[in-house]
Amino acid sequence: MNRVVIILCCFLMSGFLLASCDVPVSEGQHTKYVMVIHGGAGTINKESMTPEKEQAYKEALTEALQAGYDQIKEGRASLDAVQSAINVMENSPLFNAGKGAVFTHDGKNELDASIMDGATLKAGAVAGVTNLKNPINAARAVMDKSEHVMMVGRGAEIFAAANGCDTVPPSYFFTQERWDQLQRMISQEETGHAAFNDIDPKSSSISGVSGKDKKFGTVGAVALDKSGNLAAGTSTGGMTNKKYGRVGDAPIIGAGTYCNNATAGISSTGWGEFYIREVAANRLSSLMELKGLSVDDAARQVIDEIGKMGGNGGIIALDKAGNVAMEFNTPGMYRGMIDENGKVSIFIYKE
Ligand code: ASP
């Protein structure tokens, strides 16, 4: 009798498995995403974008997602996926991170990055570094190879170089478009034609982002690996024309980056001062943990609150079930996601 029941169960189960393989995923069925990225939020309009530029962004975002996905597919940790995706964007001049970093008022490039592991709540960050090719790798080194969470300036550079991170001469970060963007901002500031958040809207052609957004273009990634672990990271050149060693939210754990397997992995982009005051990334996680909000509702609330404070930008998040949130209160945000089957979706404007 027992044997009959077991055979019957096996028969029914194999039928179910076969059926579930054959049935295409129908609408409304849950799609599990394994990675979400952003390449900055801002006044990204169709009018200031050429088809070629749009295509270049789409290709770079796809390459970043693919690099992260390959790590996950091979069974590596979400931290590796985050690092790989961010490395692709850091190596592209299109984004305000790594190679394409914006200039400070003094004509330098000072880069910030952070990374966090949702399984252990370990984190690493660097700020104000000038000769590290991939600041996210330095953040990872701080997390993995030191007893600290954050290192800045020369100390961070020495530590990162000693721990195998690639160094470059500061001139590596020179791009003509970013340089011209700085010159325009300085002259507008000098002639009194520009306030902090009011720069000639035509001043940037590099990204289709108006000059109003001198602080946008950061990159970030969140990944979910096969073991169910989340990781998040953010990398930036900060804000064009920044002065006095200004540091934004990107390297601040809890503001620019936060990750907790119990809730979500989060990366921010936008007007950093507001994200620091909102403790944006941690707030999103706390809204999920303490108020039971979905990742989507929590992201929307954080962006609403930032808007009410007078700030703007975007935020991406991925929860442990593979649900994605991509919220922003600017006209656009470069963003994309990839699901567990490798299907890529890229968006730029408000859809
Ligand atoms: N949040 C960054 C900062 O304030 C800038 C950005 O997201 O593009 O430094």
Side-chain angles (χ1 to χ4, degrees):
M1 176 65 182
N2 272 349
R3 217 182 314 149
V4 173
V5 172
I6 290 167
I7 290 169
L8 196 63
C9 282
C10 288
F11 176 74
L12 286 173
M13 273 176 69
S14 64
F16 171 75
L17 286 176
L18 283 174
S20 65
C21 288
D22 285 349
V23 175
V25 177
S26 66
E27 259 183 67
Q29 214 166 318
H30 182 248
T31 306
K32 184 175 166 191
Y33 289 96
V34 293
M35 178 150 227
V36 56
I37 60 172
H38 70 77
T43 313
I44 306 164
N45 297 314
K46 270 225 182 276
E47 305 83 70
S48 51
M49 183 74 84
T50 63
E52 296 74 33
K53 228 186 282 175
E54 194 174 302
Q55 189 55 27
Y57 274 98
K58 285 183 174 164
E59 281 171 15
L61 291 167
T62 303
E63 195 191 327
L65 281 168
Q66 203 59 58
Y69 182 79
D70 288 348
Q71 300 280 341
I72 290 168
K73 206 173 58 187
E74 282 160 28
R76 299 220 180 83
S78 48
L79 282 165
D80 298 328
V82 162
Q83 229 180 309
S84 297
I86 290 184
N87 282 170
V88 169
M89 295 187 279
E90 285 178 331
N91 293 343
S92 161
L94 292 173
F95 304 99
N96 171 20
K99 173 68 187 152
V102 298
F103 284 91
T104 68
H105 181 74
D106 297 331
K108 296 191 178 128
N109 307 97
E110 294 175 357
L111 291 78
D112 310 323
S114 62
I115 194 162
M116 185 160 182
D117 179 9
T120 61
L121 303 187
K122 282 186 172 177
V126 294
V129 295
T130 59
N131 70 352
L132 299 175
K133 185 173 181 226
N134 296 106
I136 197 72
N137 298 355
R140 176 88 189 261
V142 171
M143 182 179 94
D144 286 348
K145 297 174 180 166
S146 85
E147 53 184 330
H148 305 302
V149 169
M150 190 172 196
M151 296 185 189
V152 304
R154 192 70 197 123
E157 292 168 358
I158 292 168
F159 173 83
N163 283 282
C165 296
D166 290 344
T167 57
V168 287
S171 59
Y172 164 80
F173 298 107
F174 182 89
T175 57
Q176 193 63 49
E177 300 235 34
R178 295 295 192 202
W179 180 256
D180 294 345
Q181 200 175 11
L182 172 69
Q183 301 316 314
R184 277 193 296 268
M185 282 185 192
I186 289 176
S187 70
Q188 282 161 350
E189 212 174 47
E190 279 166 4
T191 52
H193 285 141
F196 179 77
N197 194 31
D198 182 23
I199 309 283
D200 172 15
K202 293 185 273 312
S203 71
S204 170
S205 58
I206 192 166
S207 55
V209 174
S210 91
K212 211 173 170 187
D213 299 308
K214 61 178 178 174
K215 55 208 166 296
F216 297 160
T218 292
V219 307
V222 186
L224 174 62
D225 63 27
K226 284 184 176 166
S227 313
N229 289 324
L230 289 161
T234 310
S235 181
T236 190
M239 186 175 93
T240 302
N241 201 24
K242 63 185 180 181
K243 297 169 185 156
Y244 312 117
R246 178 264 187 193
V247 174
D249 60 315
I252 311 280
I253 297 300
T257 300
Y258 190 73
C259 193
N260 187 337
N261 273 2
T263 54
I266 300 126
S267 172
S268 312
T269 175
W271 193 342
E273 280 68 11
F274 289 90
Y275 281 74
I276 294 173
R277 290 162 56 202
E278 168 80 359
V279 200
N282 180 266
R283 178 141 177 89
L284 194 159
S285 171
S286 294
L287 286 168
M288 293 177 72
E289 187 178 356
L290 306 174
K291 262 188 122 183
L293 261 56
S294 70
V295 68
D296 226 21
D297 288 345
R300 204 163 305 124
Q301 181 164 332
V302 168
I303 294 301
D304 275 359
E305 287 170 355
I306 285 174
K308 283 185 190 130
M309 289 164 80
N312 54 356
I315 201 159
I316 59 165
L318 175 65
D319 74 12
K320 58 190 171 188
N323 299 305
V324 161
M326 301 190 291
E327 279 295 320
F328 52 100
N329 64 1
T330 49
M333 176 166 80
Y334 298 109
R335 61 202 189 278
M337 53 198 186
I338 189 162
D339 72 13
E340 57 188 338
N341 302 312
K343 185 170 173 288
V344 170
S345 314
I346 304 285
F347 308 94
I348 297 180
Y349 315 103
K350 280 218 154 76
E351 303 296 323

PDB file of all heavy atoms in Angstrom, residues 40-41 96 112 215-218 236-239 246-250 268-273, ligand 1:
ATOM      1  N   GLY A  40      23.128  56.644 -12.475  1.00  0.00           N
ATOM      2  CA  GLY A  40      22.891  58.037 -12.123  1.00  0.00           C
ATOM      3  C   GLY A  40      21.514  58.522 -12.519  1.00  0.00           C
ATOM      4  O   GLY A  40      20.923  58.048 -13.491  1.00  0.00           O
ATOM      5  N   ALA A  41      21.005  59.461 -11.726  1.00  0.00           N
ATOM      6  CA  ALA A  41      19.699  60.079 -11.997  1.00  0.00           C
ATOM      7  C   ALA A  41      19.941  61.539 -12.342  1.00  0.00           C
ATOM      8  O   ALA A  41      20.978  62.107 -12.026  1.00  0.00           O
ATOM      9  CB  ALA A  41      18.821  59.982 -10.754  1.00  0.00           C
ATOM     10  N   ASN A  96      29.728  59.061 -14.100  1.00  0.00           N
ATOM     11  CA  ASN A  96      30.489  59.851 -13.118  1.00  0.00           C
ATOM     12  C   ASN A  96      31.010  58.932 -12.018  1.00  0.00           C
ATOM     13  O   ASN A  96      30.565  58.967 -10.869  1.00  0.00           O
ATOM     14  CB  ASN A  96      29.579  60.953 -12.566  1.00  0.00           C
ATOM     15  CG  ASN A  96      30.206  61.684 -11.393  1.00  0.00           C
ATOM     16  OD1 ASN A  96      31.425  61.650 -11.205  1.00  0.00           O
ATOM     17  ND2 ASN A  96      29.377  62.339 -10.588  1.00  0.00           N
ATOM     18  N   ASP A 112      34.792  58.481  -4.562  1.00  0.00           N
ATOM     19  CA  ASP A 112      34.234  57.845  -3.362  1.00  0.00           C
ATOM     20  C   ASP A 112      33.554  56.524  -3.757  1.00  0.00           C
ATOM     21  O   ASP A 112      32.972  56.441  -4.843  1.00  0.00           O
ATOM     22  CB  ASP A 112      33.135  58.708  -2.735  1.00  0.00           C
ATOM     23  CG  ASP A 112      33.525  60.161  -2.519  1.00  0.00           C
ATOM     24  OD1 ASP A 112      34.690  60.416  -2.178  1.00  0.00           O
ATOM     25  OD2 ASP A 112      32.641  61.028  -2.686  1.00  0.00           O
ATOM     26  N   LYS A 215      25.675  67.303  -9.780  1.00  0.00           N
ATOM     27  CA  LYS A 215      26.001  66.298  -8.782  1.00  0.00           C
ATOM     28  C   LYS A 215      25.567  64.885  -9.179  1.00  0.00           C
ATOM     29  O   LYS A 215      25.672  63.974  -8.377  1.00  0.00           O
ATOM     30  CB  LYS A 215      25.335  66.670  -7.462  1.00  0.00           C
ATOM     31  CG  LYS A 215      23.849  66.863  -7.613  1.00  0.00           C
ATOM     32  CD  LYS A 215      23.317  67.839  -6.602  1.00  0.00           C
ATOM     33  CE  LYS A 215      21.917  68.297  -6.942  1.00  0.00           C
ATOM     34  NZ  LYS A 215      21.858  69.047  -8.200  1.00  0.00           N
ATOM     35  N   PHE A 216      25.067  64.685 -10.385  1.00  0.00           N
ATOM     36  CA  PHE A 216      24.531  63.365 -10.679  1.00  0.00           C
ATOM     37  C   PHE A 216      25.378  62.541 -11.650  1.00  0.00           C
ATOM     38  O   PHE A 216      26.199  63.081 -12.358  1.00  0.00           O
ATOM     39  CB  PHE A 216      23.114  63.506 -11.225  1.00  0.00           C
ATOM     40  CG  PHE A 216      22.151  64.117 -10.234  1.00  0.00           C
ATOM     41  CD1 PHE A 216      20.977  64.680 -10.675  1.00  0.00           C
ATOM     42  CD2 PHE A 216      22.422  64.128  -8.881  1.00  0.00           C
ATOM     43  CE1 PHE A 216      20.080  65.242  -9.780  1.00  0.00           C
ATOM     44  CE2 PHE A 216      21.533  64.682  -7.977  1.00  0.00           C
ATOM     45  CZ  PHE A 216      20.365  65.258  -8.423  1.00  0.00           C
ATOM     46  N   GLY A 217      25.164  61.223 -11.685  1.00  0.00           N
ATOM     47  CA  GLY A 217      25.876  60.354 -12.619  1.00  0.00           C
ATOM     48  C   GLY A 217      26.590  59.200 -11.952  1.00  0.00           C
ATOM     49  O   GLY A 217      27.276  58.414 -12.606  1.00  0.00           O
ATOM     50  N   THR A 218      26.424  59.108 -10.664  1.00  0.00           N
ATOM     51  CA  THR A 218      26.974  58.012  -9.863  1.00  0.00           C
ATOM     52  C   THR A 218      26.522  56.650 -10.398  1.00  0.00           C
ATOM     53  O   THR A 218      25.504  56.557 -11.061  1.00  0.00           O
ATOM     54  CB  THR A 218      26.437  58.207  -8.427  1.00  0.00           C
ATOM     55  OG1 THR A 218      27.023  59.377  -7.904  1.00  0.00           O
ATOM     56  CG2 THR A 218      26.704  57.046  -7.511  1.00  0.00           C
ATOM     57  N   THR A 236      31.347  56.815  -7.157  1.00  0.00           N
ATOM     58  CA  THR A 236      31.078  58.131  -7.734  1.00  0.00           C
ATOM     59  C   THR A 236      32.313  59.033  -7.790  1.00  0.00           C
ATOM     60  O   THR A 236      33.278  58.808  -7.050  1.00  0.00           O
ATOM     61  CB  THR A 236      29.985  58.869  -6.905  1.00  0.00           C
ATOM     62  OG1 THR A 236      29.567  60.048  -7.614  1.00  0.00           O
ATOM     63  CG2 THR A 236      30.485  59.288  -5.538  1.00  0.00           C
ATOM     64  N   GLY A 237      32.223  60.039  -8.649  1.00  0.00           N
ATOM     65  CA  GLY A 237      33.197  61.138  -8.623  1.00  0.00           C
ATOM     66  C   GLY A 237      32.646  62.282  -7.795  1.00  0.00           C
ATOM     67  O   GLY A 237      33.312  63.294  -7.610  1.00  0.00           O
ATOM     68  N   GLY A 238      31.406  62.137  -7.329  1.00  0.00           N
ATOM     69  CA  GLY A 238      30.783  63.168  -6.486  1.00  0.00           C
ATOM     70  C   GLY A 238      30.099  64.230  -7.319  1.00  0.00           C
ATOM     71  O   GLY A 238      29.336  63.900  -8.233  1.00  0.00           O
ATOM     72  N   MET A 239      30.423  65.475  -7.028  1.00  0.00           N
ATOM     73  CA  MET A 239      29.684  66.585  -7.605  1.00  0.00           C
ATOM     74  C   MET A 239      30.655  67.533  -8.306  1.00  0.00           C
ATOM     75  O   MET A 239      31.669  67.920  -7.722  1.00  0.00           O
ATOM     76  CB  MET A 239      29.034  67.298  -6.430  1.00  0.00           C
ATOM     77  CG  MET A 239      28.108  68.387  -6.744  1.00  0.00           C
ATOM     78  SD  MET A 239      27.395  68.931  -5.183  1.00  0.00           S
ATOM     79  CE  MET A 239      28.514  70.242  -4.787  1.00  0.00           C
ATOM     80  N   ARG A 246      34.762  68.138   0.012  1.00  0.00           N
ATOM     81  CA  ARG A 246      33.369  67.700   0.172  1.00  0.00           C
ATOM     82  C   ARG A 246      33.209  66.203  -0.140  1.00  0.00           C
ATOM     83  O   ARG A 246      33.752  65.687  -1.115  1.00  0.00           O
ATOM     84  CB  ARG A 246      32.479  68.527  -0.766  1.00  0.00           C
ATOM     85  CG  ARG A 246      30.996  68.143  -0.733  1.00  0.00           C
ATOM     86  CD  ARG A 246      30.614  67.177  -1.846  1.00  0.00           C
ATOM     87  NE  ARG A 246      29.175  66.948  -1.897  1.00  0.00           N
ATOM     88  CZ  ARG A 246      28.612  65.980  -2.590  1.00  0.00           C
ATOM     89  NH1 ARG A 246      29.341  65.148  -3.284  1.00  0.00           N
ATOM     90  NH2 ARG A 246      27.305  65.826  -2.586  1.00  0.00           N
ATOM     91  N   VAL A 247      32.492  65.510   0.707  1.00  0.00           N
ATOM     92  CA  VAL A 247      32.170  64.101   0.472  1.00  0.00           C
ATOM     93  C   VAL A 247      30.659  63.968   0.493  1.00  0.00           C
ATOM     94  O   VAL A 247      29.989  64.522   1.374  1.00  0.00           O
ATOM     95  CB  VAL A 247      32.808  63.196   1.554  1.00  0.00           C
ATOM     96  CG1 VAL A 247      32.350  61.756   1.382  1.00  0.00           C
ATOM     97  CG2 VAL A 247      34.336  63.267   1.494  1.00  0.00           C
ATOM     98  N   GLY A 248      30.111  63.244  -0.473  1.00  0.00           N
ATOM     99  CA  GLY A 248      28.659  63.053  -0.546  1.00  0.00           C
ATOM    100  C   GLY A 248      28.209  61.782   0.149  1.00  0.00           C
ATOM    101  O   GLY A 248      28.901  61.256   1.030  1.00  0.00           O
ATOM    102  N   ASP A 249      27.074  61.276  -0.275  1.00  0.00           N
ATOM    103  CA  ASP A 249      26.473  60.112   0.381  1.00  0.00           C
ATOM    104  C   ASP A 249      27.066  58.780  -0.074  1.00  0.00           C
ATOM    105  O   ASP A 249      26.981  57.788   0.661  1.00  0.00           O
ATOM    106  CB  ASP A 249      24.962  60.089   0.113  1.00  0.00           C
ATOM    107  CG  ASP A 249      24.677  60.016  -1.392  1.00  0.00           C
ATOM    108  OD1 ASP A 249      25.327  60.762  -2.154  1.00  0.00           O
ATOM    109  OD2 ASP A 249      23.828  59.205  -1.797  1.00  0.00           O
ATOM    110  N   ALA A 250      27.625  58.758  -1.306  1.00  0.00           N
ATOM    111  CA  ALA A 250      27.991  57.467  -1.909  1.00  0.00           C
ATOM    112  C   ALA A 250      28.882  56.585  -1.018  1.00  0.00           C
ATOM    113  O   ALA A 250      28.671  55.370  -0.950  1.00  0.00           O
ATOM    114  CB  ALA A 250      28.638  57.691  -3.274  1.00  0.00           C
ATOM    115  N   SER A 268      22.033  54.436  -3.695  1.00  0.00           N
ATOM    116  CA  SER A 268      21.411  55.741  -3.961  1.00  0.00           C
ATOM    117  C   SER A 268      22.178  56.511  -5.023  1.00  0.00           C
ATOM    118  O   SER A 268      23.368  56.305  -5.217  1.00  0.00           O
ATOM    119  CB  SER A 268      21.433  56.614  -2.700  1.00  0.00           C
ATOM    120  OG  SER A 268      20.993  55.933  -1.565  1.00  0.00           O
ATOM    121  N   THR A 269      21.495  57.448  -5.651  1.00  0.00           N
ATOM    122  CA  THR A 269      22.160  58.436  -6.502  1.00  0.00           C
ATOM    123  C   THR A 269      21.352  59.724  -6.486  1.00  0.00           C
ATOM    124  O   THR A 269      20.133  59.691  -6.603  1.00  0.00           O
ATOM    125  CB  THR A 269      22.324  57.948  -7.955  1.00  0.00           C
ATOM    126  OG1 THR A 269      22.875  59.029  -8.729  1.00  0.00           O
ATOM    127  CG2 THR A 269      21.021  57.491  -8.590  1.00  0.00           C
ATOM    128  N   GLY A 270      22.031  60.829  -6.309  1.00  0.00           N
ATOM    129  CA  GLY A 270      21.298  62.090  -6.271  1.00  0.00           C
ATOM    130  C   GLY A 270      22.061  63.128  -5.481  1.00  0.00           C
ATOM    131  O   GLY A 270      23.273  63.002  -5.271  1.00  0.00           O
ATOM    132  N   TRP A 271      21.356  64.107  -5.045  1.00  0.00           N
ATOM    133  CA  TRP A 271      21.955  65.237  -4.323  1.00  0.00           C
ATOM    134  C   TRP A 271      22.360  64.741  -2.937  1.00  0.00           C
ATOM    135  O   TRP A 271      21.548  64.641  -2.014  1.00  0.00           O
ATOM    136  CB  TRP A 271      20.914  66.352  -4.245  1.00  0.00           C
ATOM    137  CG  TRP A 271      21.433  67.677  -3.820  1.00  0.00           C
ATOM    138  CD1 TRP A 271      22.612  67.949  -3.185  1.00  0.00           C
ATOM    139  CD2 TRP A 271      20.772  68.927  -3.996  1.00  0.00           C
ATOM    140  NE1 TRP A 271      22.732  69.288  -2.968  1.00  0.00           N
ATOM    141  CE2 TRP A 271      21.605  69.918  -3.461  1.00  0.00           C
ATOM    142  CE3 TRP A 271      19.548  69.310  -4.567  1.00  0.00           C
ATOM    143  CZ2 TRP A 271      21.258  71.257  -3.454  1.00  0.00           C
ATOM    144  CZ3 TRP A 271      19.204  70.643  -4.557  1.00  0.00           C
ATOM    145  CH2 TRP A 271      20.053  71.613  -4.009  1.00  0.00           C
ATOM    146  N   GLY A 272      23.650  64.411  -2.812  1.00  0.00           N
ATOM    147  CA  GLY A 272      24.164  63.652  -1.679  1.00  0.00           C
ATOM    148  C   GLY A 272      23.853  64.222  -0.307  1.00  0.00           C
ATOM    149  O   GLY A 272      23.608  63.470   0.648  1.00  0.00           O
ATOM    150  N   GLU A 273      23.856  65.536  -0.204  1.00  0.00           N
ATOM    151  CA  GLU A 273      23.609  66.152   1.105  1.00  0.00           C
ATOM    152  C   GLU A 273      22.248  65.714   1.659  1.00  0.00           C
ATOM    153  O   GLU A 273      22.098  65.448   2.848  1.00  0.00           O
ATOM    154  CB  GLU A 273      23.686  67.683   0.984  1.00  0.00           C
ATOM    155  CG  GLU A 273      25.121  68.245   0.977  1.00  0.00           C
ATOM    156  CD  GLU A 273      25.952  67.902  -0.252  1.00  0.00           C
ATOM    157  OE1 GLU A 273      25.398  67.394  -1.254  1.00  0.00           O
ATOM    158  OE2 GLU A 273      27.181  68.126  -0.221  1.00  0.00           O
TER     159      GLU A 273
HETATM  160  N1  ASP B   1      25.208  61.225  -4.683  1.00  0.00           N
HETATM  161  C1  ASP B   1      26.438  61.654  -5.279  1.00  0.00           C
HETATM  162  C2  ASP B   1      27.061  62.744  -4.438  1.00  0.00           C
HETATM  163  O1  ASP B   1      26.346  63.566  -3.902  1.00  0.00           O
HETATM  164  C3  ASP B   1      26.272  62.162  -6.659  1.00  0.00           C
HETATM  165  C4  ASP B   1      25.450  61.308  -7.579  1.00  0.00           C
HETATM  166  O2  ASP B   1      24.647  60.508  -7.168  1.00  0.00           O
HETATM  167  O3  ASP B   1      25.639  61.417  -8.780  1.00  0.00           O
HETATM  168  O4  ASP B   1      28.269  62.798  -4.363  1.00  0.00           O
END
